[in-house]
Structures are given as C-alpha cells and as structure tokens.
Amino acid sequence: MSDTQRRPFAVVTGGSNGIGFELARHFVENGHDVLIAAEDEGHLTQAASRLTEAAGRLSAGGGAVTIHAADLSREDGVAGLYAAIRAAGRPVDALCVNAGTGLGGPFAETDLARELRMIDLNVRGAVQLTKLVLRDMVARDAGKILFTSSISAAMPDPYEAVYGATKVFLRWFGEALRDELRDTGIGVSVLMPGVTETNFFNRAGMLDTKVGASEGKDDPALVAKAAFEAMQAGRDKVVPTLKNKVLSAVTDALPDKVAAQIHRRMAEPGSAG
C-alpha cells in the first residue's frame, strides 16, 4: 500500500491564509495529505510551498499538499472543487468549511453586491460543499467536519449585520447536522473564534474600527490548534482562549439588546484608537 493510500485526506477551504492555513498546517504535520482551496491561485501556491516546507522539517515526514483555485461563492466553483476531490480517488476524512469573507459598516450604506456574494460564499457555498462531501461520508459511515463560525454568532452583530447572520447560520447548521449524525461515525464540530489576527479586517474594510485596530487579536495558529484538537476529539463546539469563552458565556446570558451594545462599541466605524 502506498503512503498516499495509507495517509488520511483532509480538505480545507480558505486554506491559503489565516485560520485555514494554520488548520492545513496542523493536518499536514499530523500525517494528513491536504487539499487547500481558495480563489487566488498565487496565494495558494505560496501557501502550499510553506506547508510542504513545514512537512519536510518533520523527522517522520508530513503529508502532501495539493491546491485547487476556485471562486467558492459560485455554484460552478464549488462543483469544480468537488470534482477535484473525487478525481483524487480518495475518501475525505476531514472537511474544514472555513472559507468566508466579511464587510463592515452601517447596513443602509454597505454595498449590496458584496453582501450577496458574502452570503453566497459563507452560506450557500458552505451548504453545497457540505452536502456533496457529507453524502460520501454517510455512505462509508466515517469522517469529520469542522465549520468556522464566529464568536459573533453568540450575539447580535451591529455594523456587521450580514456577516454576523452568516456566522449564526453556520453555527446552528453545524449543531443541527451533529445531532442528525449522532448515531453515525461522522463527527461535526463548530469553531467560534474571537477577534483573530488575519487579513479579515482589511478585506472587510474595518481597519478603522476599534476591533480592527486592536493589538490584542488572537493568534490564528492557536485558534487552529484548538479547532484541530476539538475536531479530533469529537467535541461539538470550540471557543478558543479564555477571554472568548467568558465573552461567549456572558453574551449568551445577556438580553440581546445589551449584547448588541457591547458588539456595537467594538465594530462601529471610526471608533479606532
């Protein structure tokens, strides 16, 4: 049996940077072959090179890395990724539904086209890919799925209204699937990270907010480590770092109006500094 046939196979969307890249690194360093998917082929190539280098530093050798460039906000983009997965001729042992984007600002003023694309990527694309891969997992009664939601899913999300709503969807979509699959060999986990040091705030146009300018963001490597360990252990939900666990518990217990006020003070445009 070849190494490729022996090693488990993981797929990570949004795997070229941030939390997705760090998730891919954990899989590679733990003996998985990994397919990373994102829109920008150049970024994917750079990420694959870094992951391959990390795998090569391991004494036992890590897994192999392949890439697939596609716009996962489009139905044909997701279909193309699934075709690439099937072409590999291997079952998906772990699927990380991590690709996503955001947009900050008052809803009455933000760009509708960007918000609709965000819904297509964060929600519709996630549902489509999960449906396709999960059917294969169900057929063999094995596999693990991780959804990257957000601590924003624990509270109303002023000035990120559409983004927050997509993350609420992913949280409860993942929780519902976990319950549906409770008597199977398939595990489903939901990651709810807090403010993390990634390119998210730049892409979302939120560098001028208090949260975007904060120097206390979480390390994506630590967030991914917590997610990887939770996924492997079969835990239902992971909220990395103590401060986020406290925030999640507090906001879940507060009236929605109060929780929204807490988030608004962080996300309101022009509040940086």
Side-chain angles (χ1 to χ4, degrees):
M1 182 181 292
S2 68
D3 287 344
T4 297
Q5 291 172 315
R6 283 196 298 265
R7 286 195 297 257
F9 180 42
V11 175
V12 182
T13 67
S16 61
N17 60 70
I19 295 171
F21 173 83
E22 296 295 341
L23 280 167
R25 183 175 62 81
H26 280 288
F27 279 109
V28 167
E29 292 180 348
N30 284 273
H32 291 65
D33 289 339
V34 180
L35 185 158
I36 56 173
E39 186 171 6
D40 190 299
E41 187 168 4
H43 292 167
L44 281 168
T45 300
Q46 294 172 10
S49 177
R50 292 166 60 198
L51 291 169
T52 300
E53 182 180 343
R57 289 195 294 266
L58 300 175
S59 58
V65 182
T66 55
I67 67 172
H68 182 81
D71 181 354
L72 300 181
S73 71
R74 294 173 54 91
E75 183 176 355
D76 58 356
V78 177
L81 171 57
Y82 182 63
I85 292 170
R86 292 299 299 267
R90 310 169 59 182
V92 176
D93 297 283
L95 171 66
C96 295
V97 183
N98 172 76
T101 189
L103 179 64
F107 176 71
E109 301 173 9
T110 46
D111 184 78
L112 177 60
R114 288 184 63 183
E115 286 167 333
L116 293 176
R117 185 177 185 276
M118 185 199 315
I119 294 168
D120 282 339
L121 177 61
N122 296 12
V123 176
R124 193 204 53 75
V127 170
Q128 182 185 353
L129 181 61
T130 302
K131 175 80 76 172
L132 296 170
V133 175
L134 180 59
R135 283 174 170 168
D136 296 334
M137 289 182 174
V138 168
R140 67 179 193 281
D141 195 30
K144 298 179 185 298
I145 300 175
L146 175 76
F147 293 100
T148 300
S149 176
S150 169
I151 195 74
S152 295
M155 67 191 93
D157 208 0
Y159 297 103
E160 295 179 276
V162 177
Y163 168 78
T166 67
K167 293 301 179 177
V168 171
F169 178 92
L170 288 173
R171 176 184 180 179
W172 295 118
F173 179 55
E175 295 277 7
L177 291 186
R178 180 180 176 86
D179 187 71
E180 288 185 21
L181 299 164
R182 64 188 181 278
D183 296 325
T184 73
I186 302 164
V188 180
S189 303
V190 176
L191 170 63
M192 295 178 62
V195 181
T196 305
E197 188 62 71
T198 69
N199 196 39
F200 171 85
F201 296 99
N202 179 41
R203 296 197 308 268
M206 295 182 65
L207 291 177
D208 68 336
T209 64
K210 185 175 181 180
V211 66
S214 169
E215 295 182 358
K217 299 183 182 73
D218 294 332
D219 182 346
L222 296 179
V223 172
K225 181 176 186 294
F228 178 81
E229 291 175 348
M231 193 178 185
Q232 296 304 105
R235 296 200 294 273
D236 64 336
K237 184 176 72 173
V238 54
V239 182
T241 79
L242 178 60
K243 66 181 179 182
N244 291 321
K245 293 180 190 297
V246 172
L247 178 61
S248 177
V250 168
T251 53
D252 273 342
L254 287 174
D256 288 348
K257 183 177 179 180
V258 177
Q261 290 172 349
I262 292 173
H263 192 277
R264 184 173 65 246
R265 284 196 291 270
M266 296 293 290
E268 188 170 7
S271 62

